[in-house]
Amino acid sequence: MKYRKPLLFIALGLFGVYTIEFGVVGILPVIIERFHITTAQAGFLVSSFALIIALFGPFMVLLMSRFNRKRIMTMSLFVFAVTSLLSAYTSNFYLLVILRIIPALFHPVYFSLAFVAATALYPPEKATQASAKAFLGTSMGMVLGIPITAYIANQFSYEASFWFTAVANGIAGIGILFMLPDTPQAEMFSYRKQLGILRKIPLWLNIGAATFIFAAMFSVYSYSAEYLGQNTGMSRDVISFLLIIFGIGGMLGNLLAGKLMGLHKVRTALFHPVVLGGTYLLLYGISSSFIPTLFIIIVWGAVHTSGLIVAQIWVIDEAKEAPAFANSLYISFINLGVSLGSLAGGWFIARAGIQGTLWSGLFFAMLALVCIGSKVIYPRIFRKYKNLEVQN
């Protein structure tokens, strides 16, 4: 099919940018040794990236919305490739931080335009499936980026791990340059019109749901290796294998969620936080028995990663008149959710032990369900209010 090639490179670009964001976690020990810094300083490479996205994402997307979509996507990918190459050879830690900030500025730009471009390739009735296929790159970057870069750094070198992300983004950029149709600009809306979506209360309810879904996801996933280690007693190698299986389950769950959102959007959105909470109850009973643990990990990976597509489509559905800007809001607030969930998970662990991470996840899953439920009943309340106004 003629749409598969450009969609493949769009997904590869999403994999590349998320490997840049999260892959550094896998090589933190190497960075600490190379630059003679503390663990806290090395951790700043991760937190600063997410903070830049959360603070500047919507503004960068608005700024770039007047330019040709294909050119901006290609430029962003080449920025990712060049900064990765420079990161491989810098000998100064603070320069490395700067080389993380630059791609963080373009991360939401590429992310937002990637999904607009992916859905534009397909007819409207297949838009959610197109998003799900593109999201395979995102889920692979988020879940597999850490073990892949760690493996490359351990087997070859620190420099090789950055070369890997540079090559991935470079190939994606070349592929989009030659394969993506050069469609007319779809982002010719005025800034005022795009900002106008911020007045929509249902949009904020959807953003709240997306934020809490990610807070729930990362309340648990941020401490996954430690949780599995303490509750199964398995070795680090086995746990690493289980996390790769988690990623494979996630890719399958992502595709399934895309189809379900296309068929039953509201039901799927309502059902997701319920199933996510149920998965945490399954994790509560995890043991040293390998086969049941493997099954739970596959289910957890599928439900966890499907939150990416469910939350994204739920937000965009309320702002179809400015999809790129809505995507930038989505990426900013889910990064806020990642930070919120990680902090809350740590807080719960400090007070309830390692099982506290599950209670944190359940708490945020319930908040997400409240937001989705409120969005569903909001039109009915609004109509009732308008009818009362007319009667008076």
Side-chain angles (χ1 to χ4, degrees), residues 108-157:
V109 175
Y110 179 78
F111 180 92
S112 301
L113 297 182
F115 286 98
V116 176
T119 54
L121 290 171
Y122 286 76
E125 63 273 15
K126 294 186 177 180
T128 55
Q129 292 182 36
S131 292
K133 290 175 181 177
F135 247 123
L136 281 176
T138 301
S139 57
M140 287 179 69
M142 292 182 75
V143 178
L144 300 179
I146 294 174
I148 288 174
T149 51
Y151 176 82
I152 292 172
N154 291 332
Q155 294 297 316
F156 300 99
S157 66

Side-chain angles (χ1 to χ4, degrees), residues 266-340:
V266 174
R267 287 187 215 170
T268 305
L270 280 168
F271 196 50
H272 181 265
V274 176
V275 178
L276 188 63
T279 306
Y280 297 152
L281 295 178
L282 281 177
L283 282 170
Y284 185 80
I286 207 167
S287 67
S288 58
S289 181
F290 183 76
I291 298 301
T293 297
L294 186 66
F295 171 77
I296 292 172
I297 292 298
I298 292 172
V299 173
W300 178 26
V303 177
H304 172 96
T305 311
S306 64
L308 298 170
I309 190 71
V310 170
Q312 193 251 2
I313 292 174
W314 193 240
V315 170
I316 301 307
D317 188 59
E318 197 54 51
K320 292 177 180 176
E321 64 271 35
F325 183 52
N327 261 318
S328 71
L329 292 172
Y330 163 79
I331 194 66
S332 291
F333 278 93
I334 65 169
N335 272 277
L336 178 63
V338 170
S339 299
L340 179 63

